[in-house]
Amino acid sequence: LFFPQRLWKILESSQFRSIWWTGGGQCVAINEELFQQEVLGRVFSTQKMKSFTRQLKNYGFTKVQPDFQRSASMPELLAEEAAISSHSKVLYYYNPSFTREHPQLLEKYKRR
């Protein structure tokens, strides 16, 4: 699987607590500290967060500031609460073509 497909799979998996959909499936939220322990080196070949974020940028993701509206779904709300309560740094990334509702767009992704 190439990068966007792997990212999609871990977002859809209930196995990981460090990454989740926000904004109704429009953005990706990453608890940086937990993500490094839980995902990097296991799912992605890199162990450095900087390399992972470079990959995100290569595939058209941009870092965004959190929208402080509360999530509508219970899993998203619980993930956000857990991230906030652990005082960890949460990063938010957006790509208009990478949404929970349109997995078919993954086939069209090209590296920049």
Side-chain angles (χ1 to χ4, degrees):
L1 298 176
F2 66 106
F3 182 83
Q5 291 173 324
R6 278 185 275 162
L7 182 60
W8 182 274
K9 283 182 96 63
I10 64 171
L11 280 162
E12 291 297 310
S13 170
S14 59
Q15 181 182 355
F16 303 102
R17 297 177 301 127
S18 60
I19 186 168
W20 63 94
W21 292 105
T22 65
Q26 299 293 315
C27 289
V28 176
I30 302 170
N31 177 320
E32 186 176 12
E33 185 178 314
L34 185 57
F35 186 78
Q36 289 177 16
Q37 298 168 3
E38 189 177 65
V39 178
L40 294 182
R42 291 178 51 204
V43 177
F44 296 100
S45 58
T46 184
Q47 293 187 355
K48 296 181 181 180
M49 193 66 188
K50 190 173 185 175
S51 296
F52 176 79
T53 57
R54 189 177 310 118
Q55 283 283 9
L56 286 170
K57 290 176 186 174
N58 285 338
Y59 282 97
F61 286 83
T62 56
K63 189 173 180 182
V64 294
Q65 294 301 313
D67 181 5
F68 288 102
Q69 296 175 348
R70 304 310 293 166
S71 295
S73 75
M74 184 56 76
E76 287 179 9
L77 180 62
L78 292 174
E80 288 171 3
E81 289 296 324
I84 291 166
S85 67
S86 70
H87 304 292
S88 295
K89 184 176 179 184
V90 178
L91 307 172
Y92 296 87
Y93 289 92
Y94 172 74
N95 182 320
S97 299
F98 193 87
T99 62
R100 178 182 244 173
E101 294 180 13
H102 300 288
Q104 70 278 10
L105 295 176
L106 289 172
E107 298 301 321
K108 297 180 182 181
Y109 268 85
K110 299 253 190 281
R111 188 178 166 115
R112 288 184 177 176

